[in-house]
Amino acid sequence: QVQLVESGGGLVQPGGSLRLSCAASGSIFSINTMGWYRQAPGKGRELVARITRDGITTCADSVKGRFTISRDNAKNTVDLQMNSLEPEDTNVYYCNAYLVVDYTGMNYWGKGTLVTVSS
């Protein structure tokens, strides 16, 4: 069974840091782009950052200079280092990856991890 499992969410004070991690597991042939999205209640899911297999990154303007995405192709993991967190960063964060399984490529999502930024 192919799955993405996130970890690292929690409660942090404004200005603090958190590191989210996501591991892909199962019978995966290859992994293309991996990324993180977030979704606030009543709103659509938005891109936070993504990274290609070759390490090319894209970040939302709202997190540039504060968040850094990285991946380990050997371990099938993607991390999101979040610094200088703001209350507006409070969201459920979802890991996303385009996986090739049984020669078929499709998007997979994790179940989400809650990040709460509050004093």
Side-chain angles (χ1 to χ4, degrees), residues 29-83:
F29 179 74
S30 67
I31 304 177
N32 294 340
T33 298
M34 304 183 81
W36 290 92
Y37 290 71
R38 62 188 183 186
Q39 184 170 22
K43 295 187 177 181
R45 196 168 292 186
E46 64 175 8
L47 173 69
V48 178
R50 62 180 174 228
I51 183 168
T52 69
R53 185 171 181 82
D54 296 330
I56 298 171
T57 62
T58 303
C59 287
D61 288 342
S62 59
V63 306
K64 281 181 180 177
R66 300 189 299 121
F67 292 10
T68 302
I69 189 170
S70 60
R71 67 186 283 175
D72 186 326
N73 291 333
K75 296 181 179 179
N76 290 344
T77 59
V78 61
D79 292 346
L80 185 68
Q81 178 65 43
M82 304 185 294
N83 299 328

Side-chain angles (χ1 to χ4, degrees), residues 10-16 85-88 90 116-119:
L11 173 65
V12 63
Q13 292 186 342
L85 282 160
E86 304 168 352
E88 293 73 21
T90 296
T116 303
V117 184
S118 175
S119 56

